[in-house]
Amino acid sequence: YNKIDAKTTLSLTNSTIDTNTATNDGGGIYNNVTDADGELALNESTVSNNEATNQGGGIHNNYGFASLTNSTVSGNEVGSGGKGGGIYNAANGEANFANSTVADNTDNDNTTNNGGDIYNNNPSLNFTVTNSVIAGSSGNAEVKGGGDKIKLKKANLLETTDNTSFDNTSNVVGGGDLESLNNNGGPTQTHALTSSSAALDAATGSPESEDQRGLDEQDGRDLGSFERVTGVNIGVLGPNS
């Protein structure tokens, strides 16, 4: 829970937020800084298997700026009537995701309105997603917006566009094709890409040069937080901690 009444940054790097429960909002992280310049920064980190009753099973960004870079939000959920199984961005929040994976999150309302992976309730500020993967939610919409739609910039991969609201369809490139969340080397768990994934080598612009585990791109950066590199023994990357 990040509650600061001034400009500040909560930064998490190579960290895991796992198996937490909130009876209201923000099962894993609740960002509630009261200064618009306050920031939550997740780098090479995983938010997984958390649960909230209402909004933001993994992350609830209530105010300020939330950035996810080379990070994974997976296996989180909200209860019946809740919104944003993985991430809920409130009306006062602003967010930017780069080379991140949001997958396998759940809203238990089973409607078309609540955003299994992401719910954006921001009417005027920015919510941008770049070179990322959004896939495998157990709700009826991967991404849903109650106010402004999410801006998908450069290339992004959505497994489905059914009942989904966003402002640009040109960068929706295909199915998810993700392995389950697992130890793929490095300090945090990730979703590996299958050999047939449309995310392979699909990043555009200026993507992150390394993935969540610290591996360099190979023949072009993949979308999301995982870079598929052939011939690498994950043991040399070190175990998950």
Side-chain angles (χ1 to χ4, degrees):
Y1 181 86
N2 185 33
K3 176 68 167 70
I4 303 294
D5 295 325
K7 180 178 179 179
T8 188
T9 298
L10 171 63
S11 181
L12 298 174
T13 301
N14 292 330
S15 300
T16 297
I17 309 297
D18 185 82
T19 318
N20 300 285
T21 302
T23 56
N24 196 354
D25 302 324
I29 300 172
Y30 188 94
N31 190 43
N32 194 36
V33 292
T34 58
D35 189 296
D37 291 324
E39 182 175 356
L40 166 68
L42 266 66
N43 303 287
E44 293 85 44
S45 295
T46 294
V47 179
S48 53
N49 304 313
N50 302 289
E51 183 176 355
T53 302
N54 293 331
Q55 299 168 342
I59 300 170
H60 182 110
N61 185 42
N62 193 53
Y63 206 94
F65 184 80
S67 67
L68 272 68
T69 305
N70 268 336
S71 291
T72 299
V73 180
S74 174
N76 305 285
E77 67 177 287
V78 289
S80 179
K83 296 179 179 180
I87 300 162
Y88 182 90
N89 192 50
N92 294 315
E94 188 171 1
N96 182 72
F97 297 175
N99 275 115
S100 291
T101 298
V102 184
D104 294 350
N105 300 286
T106 301
D107 79 80
N108 286 302
D109 193 83
N110 201 32
T111 73
T112 62
N113 298 315
N114 290 348
D117 277 327
I118 301 173
Y119 189 95
N120 183 38
N121 196 37
N122 180 327
S124 60
L125 300 177
N126 292 319
F127 192 129
T128 59
V129 182
T130 305
N131 289 324
S132 295
V133 174
I134 304 170
S137 80
S138 296
N140 284 339
E142 299 278 9
V143 178
K144 201 68 181 176
D148 194 18
K149 295 178 181 179
I150 291 175
K151 297 174 178 63
L152 299 174
K153 293 187 175 180
K154 304 295 183 183
N156 291 284
L157 177 63
L158 274 75
E159 184 172 4
T160 177
T161 60
D162 292 345
N163 304 312
T164 294
S165 59
F166 48 88
D167 72 345
N168 186 351
T169 60
S170 65
N171 49 23
V172 178
V173 294
D177 295 322
L178 300 173
E179 304 285 357
S180 61
L181 189 69
N182 211 334
N183 176 6
N184 296 302
T188 54
Q189 292 192 334
T190 52
H191 283 281
L193 298 171
T194 68
S195 60
S196 61
S197 176
L200 298 177
D201 302 334
T204 61
S206 301
E208 299 298 313
S209 60
E210 296 181 345
D211 75 354
Q212 183 170 333
R213 303 165 298 162
L215 281 180
D216 292 329
E217 68 177 70
Q218 183 181 40
D219 300 324
R221 183 67 162 87
D222 299 338
L223 299 178
S225 61
F226 182 91
E227 177 76 5
R228 185 178 174 88
V229 180
T230 59
V232 173
N233 181 349
I234 64 171
V236 303
L237 301 176
N240 293 130
S241 59

